Amino acid sequence: SLPGGVIESVALVLNPAIKPTELTRMLLDATPPLVGYFEKQEFYIDLRTIDPSEDGELIAVLANIATCLQ
């Protein structure tokens, strides 16, 4: 993309009840690791970076992390 250009996308937005650093660590330690970014205390996972064939893995990682937080 060009500097300052905008690429349309869709993101999953998580509003964690834990510290941002803790959520980041959990996502990076997951298999496969998930990379995203924080903006205003919300964590974004940009779905343009996830191949549709990997949706099942994404759901499994998020479900596992959600289970650990209960």
Side-chain angles (χ1 to χ4, degrees), residues 53-68:
S53 67
E54 299 171 326
D55 286 352
E57 291 177 272
L58 171 65
I59 293 166
V61 166
L62 293 175
N64 186 43
I65 288 173
T67 301
C68 292

Side-chain angles (χ1 to χ4, degrees), residues 9-38:
S9 185
V10 174
L12 291 178
V13 181
L14 307 176
N15 191 351
I18 59 175
K19 293 180 181 180
T21 54
E22 187 176 351
L23 178 61
T24 300
R25 182 193 51 78
M26 293 175 81
L27 291 170
L28 290 176
D29 288 347
T31 303
L34 287 177
V35 177
Y37 62 93
F38 271 95

